[in-house]
Amino acid sequence: MSTTRLAWAAGLAILIVLPFITPTYFLHLLIQILIWAFIYTAWSLMGRFGFVSFGHGAFMGIGAYVPALLWSYWNVTPWLGIPLGVVLSGLLAIIIGYPCFRRRVIGHYFALVTLALSQVVLLSLIAAREITGGSLGFTQRAVGYSWYALQFPEKSYFYAIAVLLWLFGLAVWRRIDRGIGREALEAISEDEEAAASVGIDVLREKMRVTVISAALTALGGAVYGQYVMYLNPETVSGIAVSLQIVFAAIAGGVYSLFGPSVGALLTLSLTEGLRVWFGANFVGAANTIYGILLVLCIIFMPQGIVGTLQRPKGSSARRDIAWNWRKG
Amino acid sequence: MLSLAAVSAGYGSFQALFDVSLEVAQGEAVGIIGPNGAGKTTLMRVISGLIPMREGAMTLEGRSVGGLPAHRMVEAGIAHVPENRRLFPRLSVEENLRIGAFIPQARAHFAERLDWVFSLFPRLEERRGQLAGTLSGGEQQMCAIARALMSKPKVLLMDEPSAGLAPLVVQQVFDLVHKIRAEGLTVLIVEQNVQQVLEVVDRAYLLEVGAIKLAGSSAELKDNSFIRQSYMGL
Amino acid sequence: MDIYLLEAVINGILLGGVLALLALGLNLIFGVVDVIWIAYADIVMCAMYAIYFLYTGLSVPLPLAFLIAIIGAASLGVLVHLLIIAPVLNSAPLNQLLATGGLLFFLQSFATLLFGTDFRNIGVRLPVLEFATIYVSFARLIAFAVGLIGAIALYGFLKWTYLGIAIRALAQDRDIVGLMGVDPRRIYLVVSAIGGGLAGLAACLLALQYDVHPFIGNTFGPVIFMICVLGGLGNMIGGFVASFIISQIIAIGGYYSSTELSYVLAFTFFIVLMFIRPRGLFAR
């Protein structure tokens, strides 16, 4: 057995044992970290190739709200609602992504178009306040333990779901990383015209990774929604969430398999730790320090934490995060 | 006037200049010739402070100016007409000239300097309100030279003033160099057009792979068999 | 024409004045420093708090409070440049964007820490004017006029002063302005100060109309980015025109539906237009 396999086996064993030995509070934190790690990993599928989306808040919001609303108002099981939300997000990714790539909306322009998308979803959710409760949010109709409603009062169920989700995210990341698609995408991110001239279907490769990234993000949003039950537009969509995704993924590092997960682990433990430390007396103190750390991280560790610790293998050359972000 | 002693410079890990020493006397016109990639432009950029000097010394009128940033060099009296002219395309001709007189001592005499460069380049006066990006190649070169002259420099650096211009216009540009010399300016000029530049300068240096290979008066260089073979195709 | 619709249109034009001011500031900084300040609207928020506490807390006369806020915002602009932008000036554009994104988190959280999440109003009630049965808020009229004057003053500054010409020259070719005797670092500071000052000026106008709270930047920050992109990033005249287009969409959309949906409409309009003109409406 190779060392990598041994490490994987050990890691999995820890993940399996963990719910039996940790207090509920930590399990709650762990579930959140795993779900966000999955979402950050999904973002990095695009981000690592230089397509910096500030629109993933939109996909997450759709993924979370579609099944929640369908269940709470029309009694539709999340088993149908979740796939529907994922498909809708994928469609939205196509509607936005296709013309963007077609018309070569890149760099700052791509970032700001996707940012606008985040706002569209956020504001639509707030505007539909009759069913979403507007910016006050709403709580899903609870029925207790139910596989049909995908509701489990016991945290261990969601822990298992979150672990599986996270592993699924890593598997997708690895598949793209190992597939031929990656080389094509790297070629595209280096020089699009050159890539096209050697026969790479630039548009197809970009669309594929974008749709996968959006769909997975929606899936993450859905599981998050099922877990927390209470949904608020500001916590699952909009600029703040989009920025949070971009930050954490980049802070962790988007070139390595575990980079985004490390980003989730560190940023969430940090905010949670600061929150507990400061208590309820100093609202905002935790995020103040978080903001300072983010700026310092960007200035002093532009490669991300994992990237700073280990140079990316394979393409070896030192790169900045936004390798190929041409000035718009 | 201007003197460089054992100057070295480069970009990152690449060294472009090795121990370059040269001397330009007051009122003199000196040429720097050499093949593509010899480091001629780098040398100009080092003198005008765009690229920091790594080693060596540089003095202007006996005062050390080595290591000063570009905007300080202008104040010290060095003006640089960059390669490819580099006008500000969306500023008018007059605005380009105005920015040439940005430093305080030039601002004070802007009006008279403007009259002076317009007398040297009457063409620019006709085009003063036009956007610089819309000028013809020759007019752009005139504008670039005029812009550099606006700061009332002691030494004028010119990097490939004839590049990309039609033969007739090239001749006009070299005539301009004569005119500028007649005004008492010291000129250091980089050129690939060896034959023509040797007509306007007093002396020249041959730069190859970042080092001075040969130096001499124009007359000497014109007769030098190596120069004649390698650079004049004779 | 429906009299209420006309009112909406007029209010839209007036709203455009303030947005134009902010778009000018952001575009100036982007055009010259080549960095998008994601936290630009949060500088407005800081200045609004300054006005609030100076006026209601320390009883400083309003005009003086405004002046202090403008100077404070300009200094904040310089500080932001020195502490956050300068270190990442040669980094990848995304890192620059994220560095100012971190600033956004910081400013919003710090404001929450200091002032809580209460909505605060300086409590100055300006009259509502009536012109032939059309009601126009006086505060908005002032905002529009000041916005317009500010834009004209900035135009004059950039057009006719040495510093202004140097700023435009730097935006066109940053590598060689040194040869003109211009110190680029000094220009960056001047531009950051002007950008901050414009944010401060906008804060004065907004404080007359809106409550301040730590997250007020999120409500109009994205709109300003959108306007700048629509006008062509760095293109000040384009941004100026785009301000009025977007403010009309928001005003008329708000008349027919809700405020949120009018913003949804504006953002959607923006996204679709970017597909048609990927470098903005007024791309060069």
Side-chain angles (χ1 to χ4, degrees):
Chain A
M1 211 190 241
S2 71
T3 29
T4 353
R5 290 211 171 165
L6 209 64
W8 271 99
L12 274 180
I14 292 172
L15 280 176
I16 290 167
V17 175
L18 226 44
F20 299 103
I21 55 170
T22 45
T24 322
Y25 167 72
F26 282 105
L27 202 58
H28 168 68
L29 191 58
L30 213 53
I31 293 169
Q32 299 226 10
I33 290 174
L34 286 167
I35 296 174
W36 282 109
F38 171 74
I39 292 171
Y40 299 161
T41 306
W43 182 88
S44 76
L45 290 177
M46 277 178 84
R48 65 175 300 198
F49 298 115
F51 315 131
V52 179
S53 159
F54 282 78
H56 274 48
F59 304 128
M60 185 179 176
I62 291 172
Y65 267 92
V66 168
L69 292 174
L70 284 177
W71 166 252
S72 301
Y73 292 99
W74 295 283
N75 231 349
V76 179
T77 167
W79 291 101
L80 281 177
I82 292 175
L84 189 66
V86 170
V87 168
L88 281 178
S89 277
L91 280 177
L92 187 63
I94 293 173
I95 293 172
I96 298 297
Y98 184 80
C100 268
F101 296 143
R102 203 66 216 243
R103 302 284 295 151
R104 308 208 40 170
V105 177
I106 50 176
H108 286 121
Y109 293 88
F110 184 73
L112 291 171
V113 165
T114 50
L115 191 86
L117 178 68
S118 294
Q119 287 305 94
V120 166
V121 171
L122 172 78
L123 293 166
S124 302
L125 286 173
I126 295 177
R129 54 172 55 81
E130 265 136 54
I131 51 172
T132 62
S135 40
L136 296 174
F138 90 111
T139 304
Q140 296 198 48
R141 191 162 57 82
V143 289
Y145 176 91
S146 159
W147 276 94
Y148 180 73
L150 220 60
Q151 290 180 10
F152 310 104
E154 281 281 319
K155 290 209 184 306
S156 50
Y157 285 88
F158 270 106
Y159 177 75
I161 292 173
V163 169
L164 290 176
L165 189 71
W166 178 64
L167 289 173
F168 173 57
L170 296 183
V172 173
W173 195 97
R174 172 154 282 205
R175 211 186 134 86
I176 287 180
D177 188 55
R178 297 258 162 107
I180 354 166
R182 176 188 128 173
E183 277 168 35
L185 284 159
E186 267 175 3
I188 290 168
S189 77
E190 302 288 343
D191 184 343
E192 201 165 308
E193 270 107 39
S197 70
V198 296
I200 293 170
D201 188 342
V202 172
L203 195 63
R204 208 187 84 112
E205 292 300 332
K206 282 179 168 182
M207 285 311 296
R208 196 167 66 98
V209 79
T210 303
V211 170
I212 293 174
S213 173
L216 292 187
T217 304
L219 182 61
V223 173
Y224 180 84
Q226 289 305 121
Y227 174 60
V228 297
M229 297 293 282
Y230 164 75
L231 288 178
N232 184 309
E234 302 276 355
T235 58
V236 293
S237 70
I239 286 195
V241 173
S242 296
L243 265 179
Q244 179 194 338
I245 295 174
V246 180
F247 261 124
I250 284 175
V254 291
Y255 285 120
S256 41
L257 179 59
F258 291 106
S261 305
V262 170
L265 180 67
L266 288 181
T267 53
L268 291 172
S269 333
L270 183 72
T271 39
E272 188 64 13
L274 289 169
R275 197 178 64 79
V276 171
W277 191 43
F278 282 109
N281 297 328
F282 299 101
V283 181
N287 277 332
T288 304
I289 291 176
Y290 184 59
I292 294 174
L293 288 176
L294 284 179
V295 175
L296 292 177
C297 178
I298 294 293
I299 294 175
F300 296 107
M301 291 198 287
Q303 309 277 305
I305 294 157
V306 177
T308 305
L309 297 179
Q310 59 159 65
R311 294 269 175 82
K313 282 173 271 176
S315 55
S316 72
R318 199 202 104 103
R319 302 152 135 196
D320 269 329
I321 292 167
W323 334 244
N324 163 50
W325 165 309
R326 273 150 291 186
K327 294 269 179 176
Chain B
M1 183 81 184
L2 176 71
S3 132
L4 273 69
V7 167
S8 298
Y11 311 86
S13 59
F14 172 71
Q15 188 167 355
L17 294 178
F18 302 85
D19 288 334
V20 172
S21 300
L22 59 82
E23 202 74 46
V24 185
Q26 163 79 46
E28 210 181 10
V30 173
I32 293 168
I33 56 177
N36 263 335
K40 301 187 301 282
T41 293
T42 308
L43 179 58
M44 293 302 235
R45 294 170 78 94
V46 167
I47 298 174
S48 63
L50 281 179
I51 299 174
M53 195 164 78
R54 288 205 179 143
E55 276 165 66
M58 182 173 143
T59 58
L60 183 72
E61 294 183 309
R63 198 164 71 86
S64 170
V65 290
L68 290 183
H71 61 276
R72 288 256 167 271
M73 287 291 191
V74 182
E75 285 170 10
I78 294 177
H80 181 167
V81 184
E83 195 180 10
N84 302 324
R85 310 179 261 284
R86 302 287 283 270
L87 293 175
F88 301 106
R90 281 174 275 121
L91 296 187
S92 70
V93 169
E94 189 173 334
E95 284 169 338
N96 266 283
L97 297 178
R98 192 176 274 270
I99 186 103
F102 184 82
I103 55 172
Q105 64 254 44
R107 251 186 244 192
H109 304 104
F110 174 71
E112 52 193 272
R113 294 298 289 175
L114 192 68
D115 287 344
W116 179 65
V117 298
F118 280 160
S119 72
L120 279 177
F121 310 96
R123 199 54 182 276
L124 292 180
E125 187 162 20
E126 295 164 24
R127 311 254 154 160
R128 65 194 294 175
Q130 199 173 321
L131 291 188
T134 65
L135 296 177
S136 74
E139 289 165 346
Q140 288 200 8
Q141 189 62 56
M142 283 179 203
C143 188
I145 296 170
R147 184 179 63 177
L149 291 174
M150 288 301 292
S151 67
K152 201 167 195 302
K154 295 169 183 140
V155 178
L156 183 69
L157 310 180
M158 297 171 84
D159 194 347
E160 302 262 4
S162 76
L165 300 180
L168 203 69
V169 187
V170 170
Q171 194 50 54
Q172 288 175 0
V173 169
F174 282 112
D175 290 346
L176 279 174
V177 178
H178 273 300
K179 262 195 198 171
I180 292 162
R181 288 201 59 189
E183 299 284 333
L185 255 99
T186 306
V187 179
L188 184 61
I189 177 167
V190 158
E191 256 302 337
Q192 294 226 41
N193 198 333
V194 174
Q195 200 147 17
Q196 272 176 302
V197 79
L198 288 181
E199 297 295 328
V200 294
V201 297
D202 306 307
R203 293 187 301 115
Y205 292 87
L206 172 64
L207 195 67
E208 278 188 350
V209 240
I212 301 279
K213 191 144 182 238
L214 205 65
S217 72
S218 302
E220 281 165 17
L221 292 176
K222 267 190 265 183
D223 289 336
N224 182 300
S225 59
F226 177 69
I227 298 271
R228 286 173 71 89
Q229 271 179 15
S230 310
Y231 295 100
M232 294 161 76
L234 296 172
Chain C
M1 196 172 175
D2 186 345
I3 199 90
Y4 296 105
L5 182 61
L6 186 65
E7 213 170 277
V9 169
I10 290 171
N11 274 321
I13 294 173
L14 300 184
L15 172 69
V18 186
L19 292 179
L21 211 52
L22 289 167
L24 281 177
L26 197 62
N27 256 334
L28 181 67
I29 293 170
F30 179 80
V32 175
V33 190
D34 210 10
V35 173
I36 296 183
W37 284 21
I38 289 285
Y40 190 61
D42 299 286
I43 295 185
V44 179
M45 178 266 293
C46 295
M48 285 175 80
Y49 269 114
I51 294 165
Y52 173 82
F53 282 107
L54 285 169
Y55 180 67
T56 61
L58 302 173
S59 311
V60 174
L62 202 53
L64 187 61
F66 282 172
L67 189 67
I68 296 173
I70 292 171
I71 294 171
S75 318
L76 188 58
V78 171
L79 217 58
V80 168
H81 181 83
L82 287 176
L83 293 180
I84 295 172
I85 307 296
V88 296
L89 210 50
N90 296 314
S91 304
L94 175 62
N95 289 26
Q96 302 172 338
L97 209 65
L98 290 180
T100 64
L103 178 67
L104 176 145
F105 273 120
F106 169 74
L107 289 177
Q108 291 186 358
S109 315
F110 198 51
T112 310
L113 179 65
L114 292 181
F115 316 123
T117 49
D118 306 339
F119 284 50
R120 297 162 194 266
N121 195 294
I122 58 170
V124 176
R125 288 277 162 267
L126 293 173
V128 173
L129 308 179
E130 191 189 339
F131 299 103
T133 72
I134 293 173
Y135 292 93
V136 174
S137 139
F138 187 50
R140 284 201 161 178
L141 203 60
I142 294 176
F144 174 74
V146 173
L148 214 57
I149 292 167
I152 292 168
L154 184 64
Y155 180 83
F157 169 73
L158 291 174
K159 187 82 189 164
W160 289 302
T161 66
Y162 276 97
L163 210 49
I165 296 173
I167 288 170
R168 285 190 293 145
L170 179 62
Q172 293 176 29
D173 193 340
R174 69 185 55 233
D175 298 331
I176 64 142
V177 286
L179 298 180
M180 310 294 123
V182 178
D183 182 0
R185 285 170 310 174
R186 192 177 138 226
I187 300 292
Y188 291 150
L189 290 182
V190 170
V191 162
S192 302
I194 296 175
L198 286 171
L201 183 58
C204 302
L205 306 174
L206 291 169
L208 291 173
Q209 303 173 49
Y210 300 99
D211 298 342
V212 57
H213 58 95
F215 304 101
I216 189 166
N218 287 355
T219 54
F220 54 90
V223 181
I224 307 165
F225 302 136
M226 182 170 66
I227 287 170
C228 288
V229 175
L230 207 57
L233 274 172
N235 180 345
M236 309 238 280
I237 296 174
F240 189 78
V241 176
S243 309
F244 290 94
I245 297 176
I246 292 295
S247 63
Q248 274 315 313
I249 294 177
I250 292 172
I252 297 176
Y255 168 74
Y256 284 110
S257 61
S258 67
T259 317
E260 287 94 3
L261 284 180
S262 72
Y263 277 85
V264 169
L265 190 70
F267 281 114
T268 311
F269 169 79
F270 161 70
I271 293 174
V272 172
L273 254 174
M274 287 308 289
F275 296 153
I276 302 168
R277 302 212 24 114
R279 291 293 171 275
L281 273 180
F282 307 97
R284 289 190 189 87

mmCIF file of all heavy atoms in Angstrom, chain A residues 88-110:
data_model
loop_
_atom_site.group_PDB
_atom_site.id
_atom_site.type_symbol
_atom_site.label_atom_id
_atom_site.label_comp_id
_atom_site.label_asym_id
_atom_site.label_seq_id
_atom_site.Cartn_x
_atom_site.Cartn_y
_atom_site.Cartn_z
ATOM 1 N N LEU A 88 -31.695 23.876 -12.779
ATOM 2 C CA LEU A 88 -31.926 25.302 -13.040
ATOM 3 C C LEU A 88 -30.625 26.096 -12.971
ATOM 4 O O LEU A 88 -30.367 26.968 -13.802
ATOM 5 C CB LEU A 88 -32.931 25.868 -12.024
ATOM 6 C CG LEU A 88 -34.400 25.555 -12.300
ATOM 7 C CD1 LEU A 88 -35.267 26.125 -11.193
ATOM 8 C CD2 LEU A 88 -34.811 26.139 -13.653
ATOM 9 N N SER A 89 -29.800 25.782 -11.978
ATOM 10 C CA SER A 89 -28.509 26.466 -11.867
ATOM 11 C C SER A 89 -27.643 26.198 -13.083
ATOM 12 O O SER A 89 -26.987 27.110 -13.607
ATOM 13 C CB SER A 89 -27.765 25.987 -10.615
ATOM 14 O OG SER A 89 -28.221 26.692 -9.511
ATOM 15 N N GLY A 90 -27.639 24.929 -13.498
ATOM 16 C CA GLY A 90 -26.871 24.583 -14.686
ATOM 17 C C GLY A 90 -27.352 25.377 -15.892
ATOM 18 O O GLY A 90 -26.545 25.902 -16.673
ATOM 19 N N LEU A 91 -28.681 25.489 -16.014
ATOM 20 C CA LEU A 91 -29.243 26.258 -17.134
ATOM 21 C C LEU A 91 -28.831 27.714 -17.060
ATOM 22 O O LEU A 91 -28.420 28.324 -18.054
ATOM 23 C CB LEU A 91 -30.775 26.158 -17.122
ATOM 24 C CG LEU A 91 -31.369 24.880 -17.698
ATOM 25 C CD1 LEU A 91 -32.877 24.884 -17.554
ATOM 26 C CD2 LEU A 91 -30.973 24.747 -19.183
ATOM 27 N N LEU A 92 -28.910 28.264 -15.857
ATOM 28 C CA LEU A 92 -28.519 29.658 -15.676
ATOM 29 C C LEU A 92 -27.052 29.842 -16.052
ATOM 30 O O LEU A 92 -26.673 30.830 -16.705
ATOM 31 C CB LEU A 92 -28.752 30.077 -14.222
ATOM 32 C CG LEU A 92 -28.532 31.566 -13.938
ATOM 33 C CD1 LEU A 92 -29.520 32.404 -14.718
ATOM 34 C CD2 LEU A 92 -28.658 31.853 -12.449
ATOM 35 N N ALA A 93 -26.228 28.853 -15.653
ATOM 36 C CA ALA A 93 -24.807 28.930 -15.992
ATOM 37 C C ALA A 93 -24.627 28.947 -17.508
ATOM 38 O O ALA A 93 -23.757 29.638 -18.038
ATOM 39 C CB ALA A 93 -24.053 27.754 -15.380
ATOM 40 N N ILE A 94 -25.474 28.185 -18.201
ATOM 41 C CA ILE A 94 -25.373 28.166 -19.667
ATOM 42 C C ILE A 94 -25.812 29.518 -20.235
ATOM 43 O O ILE A 94 -25.142 30.110 -21.077
ATOM 44 C CB ILE A 94 -26.243 27.030 -20.255
ATOM 45 C CG1 ILE A 94 -25.652 25.675 -19.859
ATOM 46 C CG2 ILE A 94 -26.319 27.150 -21.780
ATOM 47 C CD1 ILE A 94 -26.512 24.491 -20.231
ATOM 48 N N ILE A 95 -26.945 30.015 -19.698
ATOM 49 C CA ILE A 95 -27.474 31.281 -20.215
ATOM 50 C C ILE A 95 -26.469 32.414 -20.040
ATOM 51 O O ILE A 95 -26.322 33.274 -20.896
ATOM 52 C CB ILE A 95 -28.803 31.629 -19.495
ATOM 53 C CG1 ILE A 95 -29.879 30.617 -19.887
ATOM 54 C CG2 ILE A 95 -29.252 33.035 -19.826
ATOM 55 C CD1 ILE A 95 -31.158 30.743 -19.086
ATOM 56 N N ILE A 96 -25.772 32.407 -18.900
ATOM 57 C CA ILE A 96 -24.799 33.474 -18.652
ATOM 58 C C ILE A 96 -23.449 33.140 -19.291
ATOM 59 O O ILE A 96 -22.806 33.962 -19.929
ATOM 60 C CB ILE A 96 -24.613 33.684 -17.132
ATOM 61 C CG1 ILE A 96 -25.921 34.132 -16.494
ATOM 62 C CG2 ILE A 96 -23.514 34.703 -16.860
ATOM 63 C CD1 ILE A 96 -26.431 35.459 -16.977
ATOM 64 N N GLY A 97 -23.022 31.895 -19.095
ATOM 65 C CA GLY A 97 -21.686 31.506 -19.538
ATOM 66 C C GLY A 97 -21.517 31.541 -21.052
ATOM 67 O O GLY A 97 -20.524 32.068 -21.553
ATOM 68 N N TYR A 98 -22.510 31.004 -21.745
ATOM 69 C CA TYR A 98 -22.344 30.889 -23.203
ATOM 70 C C TYR A 98 -22.086 32.240 -23.869
ATOM 71 O O TYR A 98 -21.066 32.411 -24.545
ATOM 72 C CB TYR A 98 -23.564 30.187 -23.817
ATOM 73 C CG TYR A 98 -23.434 29.949 -25.297
ATOM 74 C CD1 TYR A 98 -22.688 28.870 -25.779
ATOM 75 C CD2 TYR A 98 -24.008 30.808 -26.213
ATOM 76 C CE1 TYR A 98 -22.536 28.653 -27.134
ATOM 77 C CE2 TYR A 98 -23.856 30.609 -27.584
ATOM 78 C CZ TYR A 98 -23.129 29.527 -28.032
ATOM 79 O OH TYR A 98 -22.966 29.325 -29.376
ATOM 80 N N PRO A 99 -22.972 33.230 -23.654
ATOM 81 C CA PRO A 99 -22.677 34.522 -24.300
ATOM 82 C C PRO A 99 -21.388 35.165 -23.786
ATOM 83 O O PRO A 99 -20.669 35.798 -24.556
ATOM 84 C CB PRO A 99 -23.882 35.401 -23.957
ATOM 85 C CG PRO A 99 -24.822 34.579 -23.204
ATOM 86 C CD PRO A 99 -24.216 33.263 -22.895
ATOM 87 N N CYS A 100 -21.094 34.969 -22.508
ATOM 88 C CA CYS A 100 -19.850 35.542 -21.971
ATOM 89 C C CYS A 100 -18.638 34.991 -22.715
ATOM 90 O O CYS A 100 -17.757 35.729 -23.139
ATOM 91 C CB CYS A 100 -19.688 35.194 -20.482
ATOM 92 S SG CYS A 100 -20.352 36.411 -19.376
ATOM 93 N N PHE A 101 -18.593 33.684 -22.863
ATOM 94 C CA PHE A 101 -17.440 33.073 -23.516
ATOM 95 C C PHE A 101 -17.445 33.379 -25.003
ATOM 96 O O PHE A 101 -16.414 33.590 -25.625
ATOM 97 C CB PHE A 101 -17.432 31.565 -23.273
ATOM 98 C CG PHE A 101 -17.271 31.211 -21.828
ATOM 99 C CD1 PHE A 101 -17.927 30.142 -21.274
ATOM 100 C CD2 PHE A 101 -16.452 31.980 -21.010
ATOM 101 C CE1 PHE A 101 -17.768 29.820 -19.932
ATOM 102 C CE2 PHE A 101 -16.291 31.684 -19.669
ATOM 103 C CZ PHE A 101 -16.966 30.591 -19.136
ATOM 104 N N ARG A 102 -18.644 33.371 -25.551
ATOM 105 C CA ARG A 102 -18.795 33.654 -26.971
ATOM 106 C C ARG A 102 -18.293 35.055 -27.309
ATOM 107 O O ARG A 102 -17.570 35.284 -28.261
ATOM 108 C CB ARG A 102 -20.297 33.556 -27.297
ATOM 109 C CG ARG A 102 -20.638 33.270 -28.729
ATOM 110 C CD ARG A 102 -20.160 31.918 -29.068
ATOM 111 N NE ARG A 102 -19.675 31.889 -30.426
ATOM 112 C CZ ARG A 102 -20.224 31.146 -31.370
ATOM 113 N NH1 ARG A 102 -21.247 30.383 -31.107
ATOM 114 N NH2 ARG A 102 -19.709 31.150 -32.583
ATOM 115 N N ARG A 103 -18.701 36.011 -26.467
ATOM 116 C CA ARG A 103 -18.370 37.409 -26.723
ATOM 117 C C ARG A 103 -17.077 37.816 -26.032
ATOM 118 O O ARG A 103 -16.736 38.978 -25.983
ATOM 119 C CB ARG A 103 -19.523 38.308 -26.252
ATOM 120 C CG ARG A 103 -20.849 38.012 -26.900
ATOM 121 C CD ARG A 103 -20.920 38.546 -28.310
ATOM 122 N NE ARG A 103 -20.865 39.996 -28.286
ATOM 123 C CZ ARG A 103 -20.369 40.737 -29.266
ATOM 124 N NH1 ARG A 103 -19.872 40.163 -30.328
ATOM 125 N NH2 ARG A 103 -20.358 42.041 -29.175
ATOM 126 N N ARG A 104 -16.408 36.850 -25.435
ATOM 127 C CA ARG A 104 -15.145 37.097 -24.771
ATOM 128 C C ARG A 104 -15.224 38.191 -23.720
ATOM 129 O O ARG A 104 -14.445 39.149 -23.714
ATOM 130 C CB ARG A 104 -14.068 37.404 -25.792
ATOM 131 C CG ARG A 104 -14.005 36.341 -26.872
ATOM 132 C CD ARG A 104 -12.672 36.194 -27.468
ATOM 133 N NE ARG A 104 -11.630 36.282 -26.443
ATOM 134 C CZ ARG A 104 -10.377 35.994 -26.664
ATOM 135 N NH1 ARG A 104 -10.004 35.597 -27.846
ATOM 136 N NH2 ARG A 104 -9.485 36.097 -25.721
ATOM 137 N N VAL A 105 -16.200 38.027 -22.857
ATOM 138 C CA VAL A 105 -16.277 38.891 -21.682
ATOM 139 C C VAL A 105 -15.316 38.284 -20.668
ATOM 140 O O VAL A 105 -15.583 37.217 -20.127
ATOM 141 C CB VAL A 105 -17.707 38.917 -21.108
ATOM 142 C CG1 VAL A 105 -17.774 39.762 -19.851
ATOM 143 C CG2 VAL A 105 -18.682 39.434 -22.151
ATOM 144 N N ILE A 106 -14.162 38.935 -20.458
ATOM 145 C CA ILE A 106 -13.143 38.314 -19.605
ATOM 146 C C ILE A 106 -12.642 39.298 -18.558
ATOM 147 O O ILE A 106 -13.001 40.469 -18.568
ATOM 148 C CB ILE A 106 -11.943 37.810 -20.438
ATOM 149 C CG1 ILE A 106 -11.464 38.922 -21.369
ATOM 150 C CG2 ILE A 106 -12.287 36.560 -21.202
ATOM 151 C CD1 ILE A 106 -10.229 38.574 -22.159
ATOM 152 N N GLY A 107 -11.803 38.780 -17.672
ATOM 153 C CA GLY A 107 -11.142 39.640 -16.680
ATOM 154 C C GLY A 107 -12.130 40.358 -15.788
ATOM 155 O O GLY A 107 -13.091 39.777 -15.312
ATOM 156 N N HIS A 108 -11.870 41.640 -15.591
ATOM 157 C CA HIS A 108 -12.734 42.450 -14.739
ATOM 158 C C HIS A 108 -14.184 42.369 -15.202
ATOM 159 O O HIS A 108 -15.108 42.370 -14.396
ATOM 160 C CB HIS A 108 -12.315 43.917 -14.798
ATOM 161 C CG HIS A 108 -11.057 44.193 -14.055
ATOM 162 N ND1 HIS A 108 -9.940 44.718 -14.662
ATOM 163 C CD2 HIS A 108 -10.735 44.045 -12.766
ATOM 164 C CE1 HIS A 108 -8.995 44.861 -13.770
ATOM 165 N NE2 HIS A 108 -9.441 44.472 -12.608
ATOM 166 N N TYR A 109 -14.362 42.336 -16.509
ATOM 167 C CA TYR A 109 -15.718 42.369 -17.043
ATOM 168 C C TYR A 109 -16.476 41.101 -16.668
ATOM 169 O O TYR A 109 -17.637 41.154 -16.285
ATOM 170 C CB TYR A 109 -15.681 42.572 -18.560
ATOM 171 C CG TYR A 109 -15.158 43.946 -18.930
ATOM 172 C CD1 TYR A 109 -13.809 44.176 -19.091
ATOM 173 C CD2 TYR A 109 -16.032 45.004 -19.082
ATOM 174 C CE1 TYR A 109 -13.334 45.433 -19.404
ATOM 175 C CE2 TYR A 109 -15.574 46.270 -19.399
ATOM 176 C CZ TYR A 109 -14.219 46.483 -19.560
ATOM 177 O OH TYR A 109 -13.757 47.727 -19.853
ATOM 178 N N PHE A 110 -15.810 39.965 -16.767
ATOM 179 C CA PHE A 110 -16.439 38.702 -16.389
ATOM 180 C C PHE A 110 -16.780 38.726 -14.894
ATOM 181 O O PHE A 110 -17.881 38.353 -14.486
ATOM 182 C CB PHE A 110 -15.512 37.527 -16.713
ATOM 183 C CG PHE A 110 -16.127 36.180 -16.441
ATOM 184 C CD1 PHE A 110 -17.122 35.680 -17.267
ATOM 185 C CD2 PHE A 110 -15.717 35.423 -15.364
ATOM 186 C CE1 PHE A 110 -17.693 34.439 -17.017
ATOM 187 C CE2 PHE A 110 -16.278 34.183 -15.104
ATOM 188 C CZ PHE A 110 -17.267 33.693 -15.932
#
